[in-house]
Amino acid sequence: MHSRYSWKSYFVVLSDYQQWANDRLFAALGGINREFLQSPQGLFFGSIHHTVDHIMLVNRLWLARLQGEALKVNFQEIAYPDWNQLIEATQCQAEELKLWLDASEPDWFDGRLDFVSSDGTARSMWMRDVLTHMMNHQAHHRGQISAVITRLGGEAPEMDYFYYKREMDGYMEIIRDDQSLSKEAQNPADPDLAE
Protein backbone atom coordinates (compact mmCIF):
# COMPACT_ATOMS: atom_id res chain seq x y z
CA MET A 1 0.00 0.00 0.00
CA HIS A 2 1.31 3.44 -0.94
CA SER A 3 1.06 6.36 1.46
CA ARG A 4 -0.22 9.74 0.28
CA TYR A 5 2.29 12.33 -0.75
CA SER A 6 2.19 15.41 1.46
CA TRP A 7 2.67 18.82 -0.12
CA LYS A 8 6.05 18.93 1.61
CA SER A 9 7.21 15.61 0.15
CA TYR A 10 5.88 16.58 -3.26
CA PHE A 11 7.78 19.87 -3.45
CA VAL A 12 10.99 18.48 -1.94
CA VAL A 13 10.97 15.81 -4.67
CA LEU A 14 10.19 18.39 -7.36
CA SER A 15 13.05 20.59 -6.18
CA ASP A 16 15.37 17.58 -6.40
CA TYR A 17 14.04 16.95 -9.92
CA GLN A 18 14.99 20.53 -10.87
CA GLN A 19 18.63 19.84 -9.99
CA TRP A 20 18.53 16.56 -11.89
CA ALA A 21 17.11 18.24 -15.00
CA ASN A 22 19.59 21.12 -14.72
CA ASP A 23 22.46 18.61 -14.59
CA ARG A 24 21.29 17.11 -17.88
CA LEU A 25 20.81 20.51 -19.47
CA PHE A 26 24.27 21.67 -18.44
CA ALA A 27 25.83 18.42 -19.70
CA ALA A 28 24.16 18.94 -23.09
CA LEU A 29 25.31 22.56 -23.18
CA GLY A 30 28.87 21.35 -22.56
CA GLY A 31 28.85 20.04 -26.13
CA ILE A 32 27.85 23.42 -27.59
CA ASN A 33 30.44 25.94 -28.76
CA ARG A 34 30.92 28.46 -25.93
CA GLU A 35 30.32 31.42 -28.23
CA PHE A 36 26.75 30.19 -28.82
CA LEU A 37 26.05 30.39 -25.07
CA GLN A 38 26.62 34.15 -25.16
CA SER A 39 25.20 35.02 -28.58
CA PRO A 40 21.58 35.98 -29.33
CA GLN A 41 19.50 32.85 -29.89
CA GLY A 42 16.00 34.30 -30.12
CA LEU A 43 15.14 33.53 -26.49
CA PHE A 44 13.14 35.96 -24.35
CA PHE A 45 16.38 36.87 -22.56
CA GLY A 46 18.38 36.63 -25.78
CA SER A 47 21.17 34.21 -25.02
CA ILE A 48 21.33 30.82 -23.35
CA HIS A 49 23.62 32.33 -20.71
CA HIS A 50 21.20 35.13 -19.87
CA THR A 51 18.28 32.67 -19.74
CA VAL A 52 20.08 30.38 -17.26
CA ASP A 53 21.02 33.47 -15.23
CA HIS A 54 17.34 34.44 -15.21
CA ILE A 55 16.33 30.98 -13.93
CA MET A 56 18.81 31.30 -11.07
CA LEU A 57 17.74 34.87 -10.20
CA VAL A 58 14.04 34.01 -10.18
CA ASN A 59 14.72 31.12 -7.80
CA ARG A 60 16.77 33.40 -5.58
CA LEU A 61 14.02 36.04 -5.58
CA TRP A 62 11.24 33.58 -4.69
CA LEU A 63 13.28 31.85 -1.99
CA ALA A 64 13.92 35.24 -0.39
CA ARG A 65 10.18 35.93 -0.48
CA LEU A 66 9.41 32.52 1.03
CA GLN A 67 11.85 33.33 3.82
CA GLY A 68 10.14 36.68 4.46
CA GLU A 69 12.89 38.78 2.92
CA ALA A 70 12.71 41.51 0.30
CA LEU A 71 15.16 41.15 -2.56
CA LYS A 72 15.61 43.37 -5.59
CA VAL A 73 16.93 41.78 -8.75
CA ASN A 74 17.62 43.19 -12.19
CA PHE A 75 16.64 40.66 -14.84
CA GLN A 76 18.13 42.84 -17.59
CA GLU A 77 21.69 42.39 -16.27
CA ILE A 78 23.57 39.11 -16.01
CA ALA A 79 24.48 38.45 -12.38
CA TYR A 80 27.07 35.75 -13.24
CA PRO A 81 29.05 36.59 -16.41
CA ASP A 82 31.31 33.54 -15.89
CA TRP A 83 29.52 30.46 -17.25
CA ASN A 84 31.03 27.97 -14.78
CA GLN A 85 30.20 30.21 -11.83
CA LEU A 86 26.65 30.53 -13.16
CA ILE A 87 26.24 26.75 -13.31
CA GLU A 88 27.54 26.44 -9.75
CA ALA A 89 25.29 29.27 -8.49
CA THR A 90 22.24 27.76 -10.22
CA GLN A 91 22.79 24.33 -8.69
CA CYS A 92 23.63 25.77 -5.26
CA GLN A 93 20.42 27.82 -5.40
CA ALA A 94 18.43 24.69 -6.29
CA GLU A 95 20.05 22.75 -3.43
CA GLU A 96 19.37 25.59 -0.99
CA LEU A 97 15.69 25.58 -1.94
CA LYS A 98 15.45 21.81 -1.54
CA LEU A 99 17.09 21.85 1.89
CA TRP A 100 14.98 24.78 3.03
CA LEU A 101 11.75 23.07 1.92
CA ASP A 102 12.84 19.85 3.62
CA ALA A 103 13.42 21.74 6.89
CA SER A 104 10.03 23.51 6.71
CA GLU A 105 7.09 22.36 8.82
CA PRO A 106 4.42 20.43 6.87
CA ASP A 107 1.74 22.97 7.87
CA TRP A 108 3.75 25.76 6.22
CA PHE A 109 2.87 24.32 2.79
CA ASP A 110 -0.84 24.96 3.47
CA GLY A 111 -0.26 28.63 4.22
CA ARG A 112 -0.22 31.79 2.17
CA LEU A 113 2.66 34.03 1.13
CA ASP A 114 2.22 37.78 1.36
CA PHE A 115 4.86 39.63 -0.65
CA VAL A 116 5.54 42.72 -2.70
CA SER A 117 6.00 41.99 -6.41
CA SER A 118 8.79 43.44 -8.52
CA ASP A 119 6.49 46.27 -9.65
CA GLY A 120 5.75 47.24 -6.03
CA THR A 121 2.28 45.64 -5.82
CA ALA A 122 1.28 43.88 -2.59
CA ARG A 123 0.24 40.31 -3.42
CA SER A 124 -0.79 37.10 -1.67
CA MET A 125 -0.62 33.52 -2.99
CA TRP A 126 -0.94 30.02 -1.58
CA MET A 127 2.48 28.54 -0.85
CA ARG A 128 1.76 25.54 -3.09
CA ASP A 129 0.92 27.92 -5.97
CA VAL A 130 4.17 29.83 -5.49
CA LEU A 131 6.15 26.58 -5.45
CA THR A 132 4.29 25.25 -8.50
CA HIS A 133 5.15 28.46 -10.33
CA MET A 134 8.81 28.13 -9.35
CA MET A 135 9.03 24.57 -10.63
CA ASN A 136 7.16 25.25 -13.88
CA HIS A 137 9.13 28.42 -14.56
CA GLN A 138 12.37 26.46 -14.63
CA ALA A 139 10.94 23.73 -16.87
CA HIS A 140 9.58 26.39 -19.26
CA HIS A 141 13.00 28.00 -19.77
CA ARG A 142 14.85 24.66 -19.91
CA GLY A 143 12.50 23.69 -22.75
CA GLN A 144 13.38 26.87 -24.63
CA ILE A 145 17.09 26.20 -24.20
CA SER A 146 16.64 22.58 -25.26
CA ALA A 147 15.07 23.74 -28.54
CA VAL A 148 18.09 25.98 -29.18
CA ILE A 149 20.48 23.08 -28.49
CA THR A 150 18.67 21.07 -31.17
CA ARG A 151 18.74 23.99 -33.61
CA LEU A 152 22.49 24.32 -33.07
CA GLY A 153 22.98 20.66 -33.97
CA GLY A 154 23.33 19.33 -30.44
CA GLU A 155 21.39 16.52 -28.85
CA ALA A 156 18.51 17.68 -26.71
CA PRO A 157 18.75 16.27 -23.19
CA GLU A 158 16.03 13.96 -21.86
CA MET A 159 14.65 15.92 -18.92
CA ASP A 160 11.14 14.49 -18.47
CA TYR A 161 10.04 13.91 -14.88
CA PHE A 162 9.21 10.32 -15.83
CA TYR A 163 12.90 9.59 -16.46
CA TYR A 164 13.90 11.26 -13.20
CA LYS A 165 11.44 9.06 -11.28
CA ARG A 166 12.57 5.93 -13.07
CA GLU A 167 16.21 6.72 -12.25
CA MET A 168 15.43 7.53 -8.60
CA ASP A 169 13.31 4.37 -8.24
CA GLY A 170 16.26 2.40 -9.62
CA TYR A 171 18.54 3.94 -7.00
CA MET A 172 16.05 3.10 -4.28
CA GLU A 173 15.95 -0.52 -5.45
CA ILE A 174 19.76 -0.71 -5.24
CA ILE A 175 19.68 0.78 -1.73
CA ARG A 176 17.01 -1.70 -0.62
CA ASP A 177 19.04 -4.59 -2.06
CA ASP A 178 22.19 -3.34 -0.32
CA GLN A 179 20.33 -3.04 2.99
CA SER A 180 18.95 -6.58 2.62
CA LEU A 181 22.42 -7.95 1.95
CA SER A 182 23.81 -6.00 4.90
CA LYS A 183 21.14 -7.39 7.26
CA GLU A 184 21.78 -10.92 6.03
CA ALA A 185 25.50 -10.48 6.68
CA GLN A 186 24.81 -9.22 10.21
CA ASN A 187 22.28 -11.98 10.98
CA PRO A 188 23.34 -15.11 9.10
CA ALA A 189 20.90 -18.00 9.13
CA ASP A 190 21.52 -20.75 11.72
CA PRO A 191 23.71 -23.29 9.86
CA ASP A 192 22.06 -26.13 11.81
CA LEU A 193 18.71 -25.22 10.23
CA ALA A 194 20.03 -25.26 6.66
CA GLU A 195 18.96 -28.18 4.51
Side-chain angles (χ1 to χ4, degrees):
M1 181 174 177
H2 297 286
S3 61
R4 269 185 41 195
Y5 241 18
S6 67
W7 282 118
K8 176 176 178 171
S9 297
Y10 177 70
F11 286 115
V12 169
V13 168
L14 277 186
S15 61
D16 187 63
Y17 161 68
Q18 301 304 323
Q19 284 185 286
W20 178 92
N22 286 344
D23 280 342
R24 273 132 197 86
L25 180 69
F26 295 145
L29 288 170
I32 299 295
N33 186 317
R34 281 278 176 117
E35 70 185 49
F36 291 134
L37 300 177
Q38 310 293 334
S39 64
Q41 294 298 328
L43 297 165
F44 184 82
F45 286 93
S47 69
I48 292 169
H49 188 118
H50 199 161
T51 302
V52 173
D53 193 80
H54 172 75
I55 292 170
M56 186 277 304
L57 283 177
V58 167
N59 282 351
R60 183 174 289 169
L61 172 66
W62 279 108
L63 181 58
R65 288 173 176 167
L66 291 172
Q67 294 172 334
E69 301 168 10
L71 179 68
K72 293 215 180 276
V73 296
N74 183 347
F75 295 123
Q76 303 312 311
E77 294 179 7
I78 294 176
Y80 288 88
D82 181 271
W83 177 247
N84 292 328
Q85 289 178 353
L86 175 58
I87 290 173
E88 184 177 345
T90 301
Q91 292 303 70
C92 285
Q93 184 66 39
E95 179 70 12
E96 183 181 355
L97 174 64
K98 181 175 66 174
L99 293 173
W100 191 80
L101 292 174
D102 195 37
S104 297
E105 292 297 323
D107 291 347
W108 177 87
F109 292 83
D110 291 320
R112 291 187 69 84
L113 176 67
D114 297 318
F115 64 97
V116 176
S117 65
S118 297
D119 66 3
T121 306
R123 301 198 180 274
S124 182
M125 291 176 68
W126 290 105
M127 295 297 185
R128 58 185 170 264
D129 291 336
V130 169
L131 293 168
T132 297
H133 166 70
M134 290 176 72
M135 305 304 165
N136 284 333
H137 176 263
Q138 295 175 75
H140 164 71
H141 285 298
R142 278 195 306 265
Q144 292 175 330
I145 294 168
S146 181
V148 172
I149 292 171
T150 304
R151 183 169 43 80
L152 295 174
E155 188 171 331
E158 186 53 75
M159 298 179 288
D160 286 341
Y161 181 77
F162 171 81
Y163 294 103
Y164 161 80
K165 281 300 290 178
R166 191 165 69 181
E167 188 175 311
M168 294 306 115
D169 289 347
Y171 290 146
M172 291 307 297
E173 192 62 37
I174 291 169
I175 290 169
R176 281 191 288 274
D177 289 347
D178 286 349
Q179 288 174 342
S180 292
L181 291 173
S182 178
K183 286 179 184 174
E184 287 174 18
Q186 291 174 4
N187 303 312
D190 186 339
D192 294 334
L193 299 177
E195 294 184 45

